[in-house]
Every structure is written in structure tokens, then in C-alpha cells.
Amino acid sequence: MPSKVDSISVAVGDVIKAGTPVAVLEAMKMKSPLVCPIDGTVKSIAVAVGDRVKPGALIAVVE
């Protein structure tokens, strides 16, 4: 379902662990946290707060 980026919890260069919240998406007044599935470093963030995103959209790159 299309969503709006409510918040972003990480910055480029952050070293994060699996399970770290990366962003929160809001759809139909429900907020859903997106957590990183791997340990790594945030290489880029592809969205900004307020952006509308579709399912499957790239939010951030973690390597």
C-alpha cells in the first residue's frame, strides 16, 4: 500500500546492527517501523521525510 515517510532514524555513515529501526512509514494512520535485516553501514538514504513511497521502493542502502 502506498505510504508516507514519517521519520528517518539513521544517517549516512551510521554503523547499525540487524534490527535497528531505519525509518517509519505511515499508511491509513498506521505507523510501521522498517528495521534493517543486516549489520552494516548506511551508504545512502533514498527518501526524505514526507515523501510518498510505493511498495518495494528503495528506502536506504546498507552494506
Side-chain angles (χ1 to χ4, degrees):
M1 157 178 316
S3 302
K4 181 180 88 172
V5 178
D6 186 64
S7 64
I8 299 172
S9 308
V10 297
V12 172
D14 287 355
V15 176
I16 60 176
K17 300 247 183 228
T20 299
V22 173
V24 175
L25 299 183
E26 180 181 349
M28 297 179 61
K29 298 184 181 178
M30 289 181 42
K31 294 185 179 186
S32 301
L34 297 178
V35 297
C36 186
I38 61 170
D39 295 348
T41 301
V42 180
K43 296 295 181 182
S44 66
I45 299 173
V47 296
V49 173
D51 284 357
R52 298 226 178 257
V53 294
K54 293 182 180 179
L58 178 67
I59 304 298
V61 175
V62 178
E63 294 179 341

